[in-house]
Amino acid sequence: MTPNRPRFFPSRQVSPQSRRQFLLQTATTVALGPRLALAAAESAAPLSLGFSLYGMKTLPLAQAVAACARIGYRNVELALIAGFPTEPAKLTPEVRTAAREHCSAAGLRISSLIANLSLVGDAATHAAHLAVLRQAAQFAREIDAVAPPVVQTVLGGKPATWETEKAGMAVRLRAWDAIARDHGIVVAIKAHVGSAVNSPDRLLWLLREAAVTHVVVAYDHSHFALGGLGVAASLAPLASRTRFVHLKDAEGDATRFSFLLPGEGQADFRAIFRELIAAGYHGPVVVEVSSQIFSRPGYDPIATAERCYAALAPALPV
């Protein structure tokens, strides 16, 4: 695939208005140059395909970003998790500056900062996670003070402990919300099939009970599919709060499952994209490679990113 190539209309009939809009965008590409034109094209497209650097743990940041740009991705998610190039313990001003510059030079937007936080655990764990969230919020503002990337995380716990832990989780979510509000960012929380919050109903209960103003939804259909929910059934109750989307596939059920790369399973990503747009979602759709996959011997992060792009790019709406 050749990255950053303007999309041309297919052979089907298109309206004169659509054709004029396309010609205007093409002229903009010539006039603004590749980097600004990329931003213009991304703002016009409903969905922006990205890759999470959670799946490139072993690569230096510059190499990972360059590979994603070459493949054709339009945005990346940085991993603020221990063991990654942008882990919190090593996120010095120099590292933050380098991350911004690498992405800017490659023409890639930083769409999200993925953290591994939890709303359960002892007081010390909660305090440590609040410190990471503050650091992530500050970094997000440095990246883009006007439209900062979301800080995205799962929530911890186990499905069986939901009833005993949900009230305490709501209290702690209010503390996350306060940090997000104070820094002018949003935190996107994700249901996980193996966590206490594993369904749309539980996710919505938590958001409502905590009465948050700066916490939104990160939607990942693979977790709901393992619970037997289709795209429409899982997205409809969450659509108005969804600000970020992860893409991967899965097989099995809620008790025994394996995560897969897009294209390896039965997920219909054309349908997922169609449902997202119909629900009013415009924004990043980002490939997430599970640790089940990237921890295997011989895992090749760049080849994996190429494979995912080849599976997903043709499914994106023109």
Side-chain angles (χ1 to χ4, degrees):
M1 295 283 181
T2 302
N4 305 342
R5 178 177 293 171
R7 293 178 180 173
F8 293 89
F9 283 107
S11 57
R12 59 178 171 81
Q13 290 291 100
V14 296
S15 68
Q17 181 179 6
S18 296
R19 195 174 296 276
R20 283 195 299 272
Q21 181 180 5
F22 172 73
L23 292 173
L24 178 60
Q25 291 174 350
T26 303
T28 302
T29 299
V30 175
L32 295 182
R35 200 170 301 165
L36 289 179
L38 177 61
E42 180 167 319
S43 65
L47 303 178
S48 170
L49 184 60
F51 192 84
S52 175
L53 301 192
Y54 182 66
M56 292 187 167
K57 183 178 182 179
T58 58
L59 295 184
L61 185 63
Q63 184 180 355
V65 168
C68 289
R70 175 187 59 78
I71 292 166
Y73 290 103
R74 293 184 177 272
N75 69 83
V76 291
E77 177 179 65
L78 303 184
L80 274 59
I81 299 173
F84 287 78
T86 47
E87 68 173 298
K90 298 179 180 177
L91 204 59
T92 62
E94 292 77 16
V95 170
R96 298 197 302 267
T97 298
R100 297 196 310 270
E101 290 179 348
H102 289 319
C103 293
S104 177
L108 294 178
R109 178 172 175 253
I110 300 173
S111 56
S112 172
L113 306 176
I114 181 174
N116 188 19
L117 308 179
S118 177
L119 291 174
V120 302
D122 59 21
T125 299
H126 178 54
H129 288 180
L130 290 180
V132 171
L133 181 54
R134 289 188 189 95
Q135 186 180 27
Q138 291 167 359
F139 186 26
R141 292 285 299 181
E142 290 175 9
I143 291 167
D144 190 335
V146 176
V150 302
V151 177
Q152 184 267 130
T153 181
V154 290
L155 300 169
K158 298 294 182 183
T161 65
W162 166 247
E163 289 300 330
T164 59
E165 292 182 327
K166 64 182 185 181
M169 294 176 76
V171 171
R172 289 185 172 185
L173 188 62
R174 291 185 196 114
W176 289 13
D177 187 54
I179 291 173
R181 183 182 63 246
D182 290 347
H183 288 83
I185 66 147
V186 295
V187 175
I189 58 175
K190 184 166 84 168
H192 189 291
V193 66
S195 296
V197 178
N198 62 355
S199 68
D201 287 345
R202 291 185 179 186
L203 191 55
L204 287 173
W205 183 94
L206 189 61
L207 290 167
R208 290 168 182 158
E209 182 68 16
V212 292
T213 59
H214 286 66
V215 178
V216 296
V217 170
Y219 179 81
D220 183 338
H221 179 252
S222 67
H223 294 281
F224 301 131
L226 290 167
L229 288 177
V231 181
S234 60
L235 180 60
L238 301 175
S240 65
R241 297 175 181 258
T242 296
R243 297 293 181 273
F244 185 77
V245 174
H246 262 162
L247 304 173
K248 59 179 180 291
D249 210 334
E251 62 182 358
D253 57 34
T255 62
R256 188 172 182 178
F257 52 86
S258 297
F259 291 113
L260 308 172
L261 300 177
E264 289 185 340
Q266 300 302 310
D268 184 346
F269 287 99
R270 289 185 187 276
I272 291 173
F273 295 152
R274 206 163 45 237
E275 291 285 350
L276 286 168
I277 293 172
Y281 179 81
H282 285 200
V285 287
V286 179
V287 177
E288 182 192 46
V289 178
S290 169
S291 61
Q292 290 181 342
I293 296 173
F294 71 65
S295 60
R296 295 172 186 165
Y299 170 77
D300 185 331
I302 294 179
T304 298
E306 291 172 337
R307 182 175 178 179
C308 293
Y309 187 86
L312 292 170
L316 285 169
V318 176

